[in-house]
Amino acid sequence: MKTRLIACCGLDCEGCDARRATLTDDNELRETTARKWSEMNGAPEITAATITCTGCRTEGVKFAYCSEYCEIRKCVYANGFETCGDCKELDSCRIVGAVLQHAPGAKENLLSGPYV
């Protein structure tokens, strides 16, 4: 079975535009992603220059939200987990709940492996 790069919350980092833009040094994808994420989140501070990430749980650069502000990632690491899938409170968690509600496949990603 192929291992997948799954974020703490269950999102698939391999499909993330910030990661793809970073790995391929694609400035056009950075611009597009920044514009989309800035509008979606009402966050004008998201610019092409901030779109750099190698993945939530990998070594290397992280998108500022993922490294500094993500409550999910903070909780996972504070509890010594790999992902939220390791937590017995996954189904009732208010922290990861919105991701699981709005991202099809995230919960399945957390509960299936292998992942890196």
Side-chain angles (χ1 to χ4, degrees):
M1 179 179 270
K2 179 185 180 230
T3 57
R4 296 166 301 132
L5 185 60
I6 302 301
C8 294
C9 63
L11 295 177
D12 185 347
C13 288
E14 290 181 83
C16 176
D17 287 339
R19 183 173 189 274
R20 289 182 28 238
T22 301
L23 296 180
T24 60
D25 198 23
D26 185 336
N27 290 325
E28 186 174 320
L29 183 55
R30 280 188 178 101
E31 289 284 343
T32 303
T33 303
R35 193 169 31 260
K36 177 182 170 185
W37 290 4
S38 177
E39 290 171 9
M40 183 171 63
N41 295 295
E45 64 275 10
I46 299 175
T47 65
T50 67
I51 301 296
T52 55
C53 193
T54 54
C56 171
R57 299 183 317 107
T58 64
E59 293 295 321
V61 66
K62 309 280 179 269
F63 178 59
Y65 177 82
C66 298
S67 66
E68 303 296 322
Y69 308 111
C70 181
E71 292 301 318
I72 297 167
R73 188 169 183 265
K74 287 178 185 178
C75 180
V76 163
Y77 287 128
N79 285 290
F81 299 144
E82 287 291 320
T83 69
C84 292
D86 297 330
C87 182
K88 65 182 180 188
E89 297 175 22
L90 176 65
D91 289 329
S92 61
C93 181
R94 66 165 185 78
I95 299 172
V96 75
V99 171
L100 300 181
Q101 181 180 1
H102 298 291
K107 184 173 182 180
E108 290 78 18
N109 287 340
L110 291 170
L111 299 177
S112 65
Y115 49 79
V116 285

